[in-house]
Amino acid sequence: MSERPHRKLEGRVVIATHNAGKLREMRELLEPYGVALVSAGELGLPEPEETGTTFLANAEIKARAAADATGLPAFADDSGLCVDALGGEPGVTSARFAKDAGDFPAAMALIEAMLTERGARAPEQRRAHFVSALAVAWPDGHLELFEGKVFGVIDRPRGEAGFGYDPFFLPDEHTRTFGEMTSQEKHGIPADGSQALSHRARAFQMLARACLG
Ligand code: ITT
């Protein structure tokens, strides 16, 4: 999405997230490329306020804050779950929605209740997608942005794997929710270079083509 030429990501890189599930996935995606990774938590970086109204804007805020604070390139993700029948909610406020609900099981139960209230029982009435915006910011101001989505339906929560809203998200053309998949299955990166499965891995494929290897 950047108009300037892409820049290669090398050396030491900060993973600018405080979410343990995301950190694990972001590490797994970057590790094969031989960059040295250090997390925002390990560096004791504060969490910047996410004042953007889009996933891309918030990813940029997080990456820039970490790059400015450390003098290193920083890799950030802003993501969320958008439910069609709820007008795209919780969307960019997915983390806050879960916090307000108490925890993720409660947040998923609340979304289920909102769908039931709207009479959304058939799969086509329960369409949803995850979005991941990935940003890489360099201390000199250079920025790279990528966005990936995965479409599916809200289903009965199941599975202990993954994190966040994974247990009740059933991706199209699959019979198991993200909560029932290993993270390798959820990333779903095919060896032949065709499209990955998860929103984050899809965005990462674009990032890798532009900035890695
Ligand atoms: P950082 O800002 O520190 O990265 P965060 O948890 O605040 O962490 P976001 O603002 O991007 O992250 O909020 C994204 C929310 O959507 C958060 O509640 C996640 O748990 C959830 N989410 C994002 N990706 C997900 C995925 O792959 N599976 C399940 N839930 C996901």
Side-chain angles (χ1 to χ4, degrees):
M1 269 176 230
S2 312
E3 285 176 14
R4 291 174 288 175
H6 294 298
R7 186 182 288 183
K8 296 292 173 200
L9 187 55
E10 301 165 320
R12 207 157 163 245
V13 175
V14 182
I15 304 189
T17 179
H18 291 82
N19 177 315
K22 271 196 208 177
L23 176 63
R24 178 173 42 77
E25 291 193 3
M26 291 164 82
R27 267 189 195 285
E28 286 167 358
L29 291 166
L30 260 179
E31 250 157 13
Y33 294 90
V35 280
L37 305 173
V38 55
S39 73
E42 283 160 354
L43 295 172
L45 298 182
E47 288 189 55
E49 212 187 321
E50 298 179 26
T51 51
T53 55
T54 64
F55 294 106
L56 287 165
N58 283 331
E60 176 175 348
I61 287 170
K62 292 186 252 190
R64 281 203 194 280
D68 290 348
T70 61
L72 293 169
F75 175 39
D77 165 291
D78 195 69
S79 43
L81 177 75
C82 304
V83 182
D84 291 5
L86 306 181
E89 294 293 311
V92 290
T93 61
S94 292
R96 169 145 302 277
F97 185 88
K99 203 171 167 206
D100 291 349
D103 57 18
F104 282 97
M108 290 188 282
L110 188 53
I111 289 173
E112 179 58 48
M114 290 161 86
L115 287 173
T116 304
E117 195 180 285
R118 286 161 178 76
R121 284 183 194 85
E124 61 272 17
Q125 298 171 304
R126 300 168 62 90
R127 303 281 311 154
H129 59 276
F130 271 119
V131 181
S132 164
L134 296 180
V136 185
W138 277 260
D140 68 359
H142 185 87
L143 180 76
E144 300 274 359
L145 286 174
F146 306 91
E147 191 171 80
K149 295 181 185 174
V150 58
F151 293 84
V153 296
I154 300 301
D155 207 332
R156 179 176 54 83
R158 48 198 198 267
E160 305 290 319
F163 67 97
Y165 297 95
D166 279 340
F168 79 169
F169 183 80
L170 182 67
D172 288 342
E173 288 155 37
H174 287 261
T175 54
R176 288 175 308 139
T177 67
F178 272 170
E180 296 176 294
M181 296 185 185
T182 63
S183 64
Q184 294 315 313
E185 289 174 293
K186 178 181 165 186
H187 296 320
I189 299 177
D192 67 2
S194 56
Q195 188 168 244
L197 176 59
S198 78
H199 49 314
R200 189 161 295 107
R202 285 181 177 177
F204 187 78
Q205 279 181 316
M206 295 178 232
L207 187 159
R209 281 185 202 113
C211 305
L212 293 161

